[in-house]
Amino acid sequence: MSGLNRRNFLRGAAATGTVLAVGTTVGATTTSTAAAAPGGFPDYSYVKTLLIPSELKYRPTGEIIFPCIRGVYDRLSNPLGRYYLYYAPHDPPGGICLAYGDSLEGPFTEYPDNPIVSKDWAPHYNVSHVSSPHVLWNEDAGELWLYFHGENHTTRLARSKNGVDFTYDRVVLDRSMLPSGTQETSYARVFRHDLPDRGARYVMLFMRRPQVNHRDIGWGWSADGRSWSFAQEPLVRHSDVGMRDLSSPHLLTRNGSAYVVYHTDKGSGGNLLITEVGADFSRREHLGVFHASMDGAPDNGRVAAPSFGTDRGVPYMVYEAGDRLNGVIAVARGS
């Protein structure tokens, strides 16, 4: 485990890649003299809890997972708030949900008619649950594109002009697109990222589970965000970093390189790790702990499913805090 200890390097005036709340990345900016996380990204410190399942109107299973924060104030006409926070219960029936607010530190107001996407969408599908919403602002289409899973082996796409009312598009990933025996392909996030050698403008990161009971990080690429090609080998294997399970990857970029941040199971530490993959995804440099979980509340030894954004120039990370299916959605501020 020593190789996975946090590497607090690049102290001083550290250059960081700033991630916009709409999910795009911009060039390097300068931060204060605080210690930097691996890769020169900000260190994030817990600020507050944003969503607690027991306080929500729509709480069919008493649990929520997988936040996705998006700035919509400069994208949509008459939005409900500056920021849209998507999330979902996982266990059946699940349901894609929305909350909105004017600051990444909250408060967030639950949309009164959740879920905005349910497990039954005739004639497209009828499944036990839908969950893990990831919303991308697709500049090409001028729409918010929602990627979500249901069942655990299938990822789907829906599209919206207002971030509330969605039109079904298609299946974009299922286990048949990966090697035989693959059990799960879920928790996908999609990012605008050019891979010229592959003719691609979008990258998908997701969790994949083969026949054995371990979970790795998979990836794919696409020219349009709808039709995808997928690597048949994992991008990051659990064994590469000495963990049992890896999940919920997020792409960050800085100084011309790309990094993948992902969480581990609680038994393997419950932290967020980071791997540098390079601008063309040809590198595999495992940099260690990106963000360590707190022993106390709300983390209770586990942080997961990070989503990154900025609010008036301040970097934030919205994440799942606490035991799986018994946690809350929290926010941490970068420094």
Side-chain angles (χ1 to χ4, degrees):
M1 291 295 293
S2 61
L4 293 174
N5 292 336
R6 176 182 285 280
R7 302 177 185 180
N8 284 326
F9 60 88
L10 295 179
R11 297 179 181 272
T16 70
T18 303
V19 184
L20 299 176
V22 294
T24 35
T25 53
V26 297
T29 58
T30 302
T31 66
S32 65
T33 57
F41 294 100
D43 272 332
Y44 290 91
S45 299
Y46 168 74
V47 176
K48 64 188 297 187
T49 298
L50 297 178
L51 297 177
I52 300 173
S54 63
E55 298 177 356
L56 298 172
K57 175 184 174 183
Y58 181 75
R59 53 177 192 275
T61 54
E63 47 84 14
I64 53 175
I65 66 166
F66 207 82
C68 180
I69 190 73
R70 287 294 172 259
V72 295
Y73 54 88
D74 58 348
R75 303 295 186 185
L76 305 181
S77 299
N78 301 314
L80 299 170
R82 287 174 57 84
Y83 299 97
Y84 281 7
L85 174 55
Y86 297 89
Y87 62 97
H90 180 270
D91 284 354
I96 308 305
C97 296
L98 170 66
Y100 55 90
D102 290 324
S103 167
L104 289 186
E105 294 192 18
F108 279 86
T109 300
E110 180 185 10
Y111 183 67
D113 294 325
N114 281 332
I116 58 174
V117 173
S118 71
K119 71 180 187 67
D120 302 318
W121 195 340
H124 309 298
Y125 62 78
N126 183 320
V127 294
S128 71
H129 74 289
V130 291
S131 193
S132 71
H134 176 83
V135 175
L136 166 78
W137 172 255
N138 189 301
E139 190 74 40
D140 299 328
E143 297 175 338
L144 289 165
W145 285 22
L146 166 66
Y147 298 86
F148 62 102
H149 84 248
E151 308 289 351
N152 287 345
H153 52 67
T154 303
T155 297
R156 306 174 190 274
L157 169 64
R159 302 163 61 170
S160 175
K161 293 290 188 183
N162 63 11
V164 177
D165 304 301
F166 284 86
T167 300
Y168 185 81
D169 191 295
R170 61 171 63 187
V171 170
V172 293
L173 167 64
D174 67 46
R175 60 187 173 188
S176 69
M177 301 173 184
L178 293 176
S180 177
T182 299
Q183 301 298 305
E184 297 177 1
T185 51
S186 53
Y187 301 102
R189 294 194 189 272
V190 173
F191 305 90
R192 178 74 175 83
H193 184 80
D194 289 331
L195 293 173
D197 290 347
R198 298 178 185 270
R201 304 176 70 237
Y202 298 90
V203 166
M204 180 188 294
L205 304 174
F206 59 95
M207 184 204 77
R208 53 181 286 176
R209 181 170 73 90
Q211 289 177 304
V212 297
N213 193 27
H214 292 279
R215 290 163 177 84
D216 303 318
I217 302 303
W219 76 291
W221 55 93
S222 171
D224 60 4
R226 298 178 71 235
S227 299
W228 292 84
S229 299
F230 295 100
Q232 298 301 289
E233 295 296 324
L235 180 68
V236 183
R237 290 180 172 84
H238 67 281
S239 57
D240 294 341
V241 290
M243 303 292 159
R244 189 192 74 190
D245 293 323
L246 312 177
S247 188
S248 302
H250 195 292
L251 185 70
L252 297 177
T253 60
R254 174 182 179 271
N255 289 349
S257 192
Y259 302 76
V260 179
V261 176
Y262 47 92
H263 76 247
T264 70
D265 61 285
K266 188 172 181 178
S268 299
N271 300 318
L272 301 180
L273 305 185
I274 183 170
T275 294
E276 184 175 5
V277 296
D280 62 356
F281 278 56
S282 65
R283 298 187 67 178
R284 300 292 185 272
E285 185 173 355
H286 307 300
L287 300 178
V289 175
F290 177 85
H291 180 78
S293 62
M294 300 183 296
D295 291 335
D299 296 358
N300 297 321
R302 178 180 178 271
V303 293
S307 180
F308 297 87
T310 62
D311 189 349
R312 300 169 179 88
V314 178
Y316 287 90
M317 178 178 71
V318 179
Y319 67 100
E320 188 183 321
D323 291 336
R324 174 169 167 77
L325 306 186
N326 191 30
V328 298
I329 303 302
V331 62
R333 185 191 303 121
S335 62

